[in-house]
Amino acid sequence: MSNSETLHVADWLKQDSDEEEMTNNEPTTCLFCTETFPCIEKALEHLKKHHKVDFYCLKKKFRMDQYSFIKLINFIRRENIEPDRLHDATESFWDLEMYLKPKEYESWLTYDYENMEPEGHFKENDEEEQLSLEEIIKKQRDRLEQAAEHLTVMNATVTRLLDKEDREPQSVNGISHRSDSHYFDSYSHFGIHYEMLADTIRTNSYRDALLKNKSLIEGKNVLDVGCGTAILSIFASQAGANKVVGIDNSEIIYHAIGIIRKNNVDNVTLIKGRLEDTVLPQEKYDIIVSEWMGYFLLFEGMLDTIIYARDNHLASQGKLLPNRCTMSVVGYGDDELFNRHVSFWDNVFGVDMSVMRKEVMQEPLIELVDAENILTEPNCIADFNLLTVGLNYPNFTHVFELLCIKCGTLSALVGYFDTYFELPEPVIFTTSPYGKPTHWKQVVFFLGKPVRVSSGEIIKGRILCKRSVKNSRSLEIVIEIAGQKYFYYLD
C-alpha cells in the first residue's frame, strides 16, 4: 500500500493515552446510589463491594465489548434498575441499540472497558484474607451455584456466543454462515441488481475488459465470484471462455439460472453457496472475475472473499479481474449540502435538535457531489494490488496533504475509488466526482467545524481506516484535520 502504513488498534489507543487518563480521573457517581468517587476505578471497586456488581465478571460472562458496556450504563440510568437484576441476569437484556444513546454525558461512558482486567480494577479486600472457614465454604458454594446456572442456560446462548465477534475484528471468512445471512439476503432483492446493471460505467467496463481481451479469455476456465444475475459469466462466455463457473449465495442465483437457460449459454454453470463453504466443480481457474467493490471501496468486506478465491482457486499465473484498486479523498465545500444535512438539526420547525448533529455526522453521506465545489487536489490514501493484498487491508492510516485549488469553506472530505483492469487492452473506471456518475456515488465525511481555506494553501491531516469490531463488513474511520478529530461509521 503506497504512502500508507498498517495501524493496529493498540497503537491508535496508545496515542490517546493522555486523554484517557484525564477521562478516568473524572468524578464518578455510583450507578446505584448517590455516592461520588474521585475516579472511575474507585467507583468500580465500590460497585463490587457494596452492590455486588462486578463489571469484569459481567464482561467475561456475556463477552461484552465497549458498545455493550455503553448500552449497560445507559440501561441502568434510564430504567433505574436494582443491582439484583444484574446478579440474576442469564442474558444481556440491555444489549439493544436504543441504549446506545445516553441521557447525559458521564465518565462511565468513556472508560476503556475492553482493556479492563481484574488486577488494578477489582482488588480483593484485605479483610477477605481473614474469612472464616464457613464463609469460605459459602463463597465456594455460591460460585458452584453460579457455574451450574451458566450450564443451565448454555444451550440457549451457545449460538449467540459463537456468533459474537471477539474484541479484535475478524475477516468475513471467519464469521458463521448464519450471522452473515443478512448480507446475502440484501442481494436477493431485484432493485439492487437493477441499480448495478443500469450503471453503464460499471457494466460496460467489465464487458470491455472481457470482450476487448478475447485473446486472454479464449479457452480459459473462469470463476465469477458473487455472480448475481450472471451478467459477467455471460460476458466471459461471449469472450470465448472454455468453462465458466458462477457462484452466489443469494436467492437471485435461481433467476440467474433462468437467464442462462433463456439465452442458451451452455458453458456456464451456476452454484448457490458461500464460496468459503462450497466445493467447486474444479479446484483451479485461469481467471477470477468479480464485481466486489462497495461504498468507499471496502464497505461490505467482499474483498475478503476475493482473497480467499485467489489463495484457493486461482491457477498459477492466473489473472484477477480487476487486479488493482485505489482509494482517494478530496477537500469539498458545499454550504447548501452542509446546511441540508448538518445545520438542518439546529432548527427543525422551531425545535432545537442540535444534539443530533454529532451522531448524524458519524454516518457518512452517500451522495453524488458536484465537482464544482471541490476545493483541493485529490490525495490517494490507499493502493491495493489484488494479487498480493492480505486480509489486513481495511486497517491502515495515511497522512494526507491537500493542495487547495480555490478559496472557500472546507466542510467535508469526499472519498471515492478507481478500478483498474491492467490487460493488453487496459480498462479503467473511476467513481470520482469528476467522472460520470456510478451507483457507488461518493462518500461525504462532514467536518463538524468547517474551515476557511485559500488557493495554494496545503491542508494537512490524517485518516485512519479499520475493520469494525461490531461487524466484519463495516468500517470505522477517523479523520484528523484542522486540529479536530472526527469519527465515522460506515455500516
Side-chain angles (χ1 to χ4, degrees), residues 239-354:
N242 175 40
K243 293 180 180 178
V244 181
V245 173
I247 182 168
D248 200 295
N249 198 34
S250 74
E251 299 297 313
I252 200 69
I253 192 73
Y254 300 116
H255 297 280
I257 292 172
I259 292 170
I260 293 296
R261 291 173 178 168
K262 183 72 173 179
N263 289 274
N264 299 313
V265 184
D266 57 11
N267 66 336
V268 172
T269 300
L270 299 182
I271 300 171
K272 185 180 188 300
R274 193 170 74 157
L275 181 64
E276 295 85 347
D277 307 323
T278 303
V279 177
L280 300 178
Q282 63 188 64
E283 183 179 3
K284 300 294 183 179
Y285 295 82
D286 305 299
I287 297 169
I288 295 178
V289 63
S290 179
E291 193 275 84
W292 56 267
M293 298 80 74
Y295 297 131
F296 203 46
L297 184 65
L298 304 183
F299 177 61
E300 292 188 338
M302 191 178 166
L303 182 51
D304 290 11
T305 299
I306 303 307
I307 292 172
Y308 177 90
R310 178 198 70 195
D311 293 346
N312 292 275
H313 297 297
L314 186 63
S316 177
Q317 307 302 314
K319 299 286 186 182
L320 285 177
L321 302 180
N323 66 293
R324 178 172 164 243
C325 291
T326 61
M327 300 170 66
S328 299
V329 294
V330 65
Y332 192 74
D334 184 341
D335 293 342
E336 182 182 351
L337 187 69
F338 186 87
N339 291 336
R340 191 163 70 243
H341 292 278
V342 180
S343 300
F344 166 83
W345 299 99
D346 295 343
N347 186 341
V348 183
F349 293 95
V351 178
D352 185 347
M353 295 188 178
S354 57

Side-chain angles (χ1 to χ4, degrees), residues 164-181:
K164 186 80 171 177
E165 296 177 358
D166 294 329
R167 205 187 79 208
E168 289 296 321
Q170 58 180 315
S171 71
V172 168
N173 305 336
I175 61 179
S176 72
H177 187 284
R178 190 179 76 86
S179 62
D180 205 25
S181 61

Side-chain angles (χ1 to χ4, degrees), residues 176-236:
S176 72
H177 187 284
R178 190 179 76 86
S179 62
D180 205 25
S181 61
H182 66 281
Y183 166 72
F184 296 105
D185 290 343
S186 70
Y187 282 90
S188 297
H189 304 287
F190 301 120
I192 193 169
H193 292 282
Y194 170 81
E195 187 178 28
M196 292 188 292
L197 291 169
D199 183 344
T200 57
I201 300 300
R202 164 200 181 268
T203 307
N204 279 334
S205 294
Y206 276 88
R207 182 173 65 175
D208 289 347
L210 291 164
L211 297 185
K212 291 184 178 181
N213 289 279
K214 285 187 175 182
S215 61
L216 183 70
I217 310 299
E218 287 177 346
K220 302 295 175 55
N221 295 323
V222 178
L223 176 62
D224 180 4
V225 179
C227 63
T229 57
I231 187 68
L232 304 188
S233 295
I234 293 173
F235 289 160

Side-chain angles (χ1 to χ4, degrees), residues 117 261 487:
E117 297 294 341
R261 291 173 178 168
F487 297 84

Side-chain angles (χ1 to χ4, degrees), residues 331-344 346 357 365 369-370 372-375 407-412 444 446-447 449-453:
Y332 192 74
D334 184 341
D335 293 342
E336 182 182 351
L337 187 69
F338 186 87
N339 291 336
R340 191 163 70 243
H341 292 278
V342 180
S343 300
F344 166 83
D346 295 343
R357 282 182 59 153
L365 176 67
V369 302
D370 189 345
E372 289 295 320
N373 295 314
I374 291 177
L375 298 178
C407 299
T409 301
L410 181 69
S411 57
V444 181
F446 286 115
L447 307 181
K449 295 183 177 180
V451 182
R452 286 293 301 175
V453 298

